[in-house]
Each structure stands twice: as C-alpha cells, then as structure tokens.
Amino acid sequence: KNQVEQSPQSLIILEGKNCTLQCNYTVSPFSNLRWYKQDTGRGPVSLTIMTFSENTKSNGRYTATLDADTKQSSLHITASQLSDSASYICVVRKAAGNKLTFGGGTRVLVKP
Amino acid sequence: NAGVTQTPKFQVLKTGQSMTLQCAQDMNHNSMYWYRQDPGMGLRLIYYSASEGTTDKGEVPNGYNVSRLNKREFSLRLESAAPSQTSVYFCASEGTAFNYGYTFGSGTRLTVV
C-alpha cells in the first residue's frame, strides 16, 4: 500500500533554533516529492519539489533533502521564526497518473 | 489575486440536509480536485476532474457528487449530510506544467450535527 509517514507529529522549538522534519514513503513508482506549509485556517502552500535525481532543494530558510534509495525525505528549518508556526505536509506523487499521497503532517510551534 | 476561491468558509448543517460547496480558479488550469482533511490524517481525495467535462472518483467518494460546470468551476455536493462528513474541505487546481503543483483554496470548515 502506498503510504507517507511523517515524524514527529508535533514539535515545539524556540525562535531562532533549527529543526528537522522527517518523511518516509513507500509510494512506487516514484515521480516527485513536495513539502507544503499549511498555516492554521489556510490551504497548503508548496515549499519545494524534488524529483528522483535531486537530493537537495532550498527555499529561503527551508531546505529539503531526498534519498530516493531509502525513500526518505527531510525538511530542515533554519533560524526559525514565529511565522514558521504551521503544519508541514509531505506529499509524494506516483509516476504515471494523478495519484498523490499526503502525509499526516508535522505541526510546528515556534515560541519566542 | 489569482488563485482558488472557495465558498462558503464555514457551514453548519443538520443531518440529512444538502448543500453545495463552490470552487472557482482563475489560472486556466485543466485539473481540479476536492479533498477532505480530518485531524491527524492526510488530505484524502474525494473527486477530481482532469479536464472540463470529465470527473472521476477519488479515495473517499461515497456521499458526495461533483460537477465540473466549466473550466473555472468545480462544485462538490452533499445530498444528505452525515456527521461523518464533518471535516475541512479543500479545493485545488493544477496546471499542465510539471512543476506547478497544486494551488489550494483556503478551505471550507463543515460541521454536521
């Protein structure tokens, strides 16, 4: 069964600190992996997209990594800000078709 | 601003009532989707429309119907609402370019009592 598992479910960090979120997937065949940020009461917004051949992609203070061999991805947030408080969702696209599988998300709370 | 617009933002229904959730996009996207999001679970696909005039079932279609009225609009109808349909509903659209990804609406929070 195609699955996307994220960890941790939630975390609290102090403003200015770094954190790393994990995403493990079993979706196959693989097309691409996206990380989305979802603010409370809003729809998800895309942060990064990575294909099979890419292993690192940055978007400002967000850096995503992908290991397609082990089917793992991570999202690193550098020098966190209060505005980083949100849910972060890992989404894997299956090759050949419109099938997306969403992870359950990691809820991040940044405290001053 | 360009994007996906959903209405209403909030709705409370009694069991057995019907309603239609509206979604419109102004990005000339071919594909449109309806998802539901429940606490602790990933977004689950209800229905999608790959192009104007076509609709297909997703992962959790039971209890819902959809209409792709034109290229811009994709509506979701609950004919007889049930408490299990209490959720946040998101509409999304996608262009044909590989790396566009989904553009999501801001969601409709539906409570069925």
Side-chain angles (χ1 to χ4, degrees), chain B residues 89-104:
Chain B
Y89 292 84
F90 287 99
C91 177
S93 70
E94 183 178 37
T96 54
F98 171 74
N99 59 353
Y100 276 1
Y102 282 22
T103 299
F104 284 89

Side-chain angles (χ1 to χ4, degrees), chain A residues 9 31-32 34 36 38 41-46 49 51 89 93 98-105, chain B residues 31 33 35 37 40-44 48 50 59 90 94 98-102 104-107 109:
Chain A
Q9 280 192 318
S31 176
N32 62 56
R34 285 184 182 275
Y36 282 85
Q38 185 177 18
R42 308 292 295 274
V45 175
S46 180
I49 177 174
T51 59
I89 303 172
R93 183 167 213 142
N98 279 335
K99 176 65 174 177
L100 295 184
T101 303
F102 288 76
Chain B
S31 301
Y33 307 84
Y35 284 89
Q37 185 175 39
M41 300 183 68
L43 278 82
R44 293 181 292 168
Y48 68 96
E59 184 183 354
F90 287 99
E94 183 178 37
F98 171 74
N99 59 353
Y100 276 1
Y102 282 22
F104 284 89
S106 57
R109 185 173 294 275

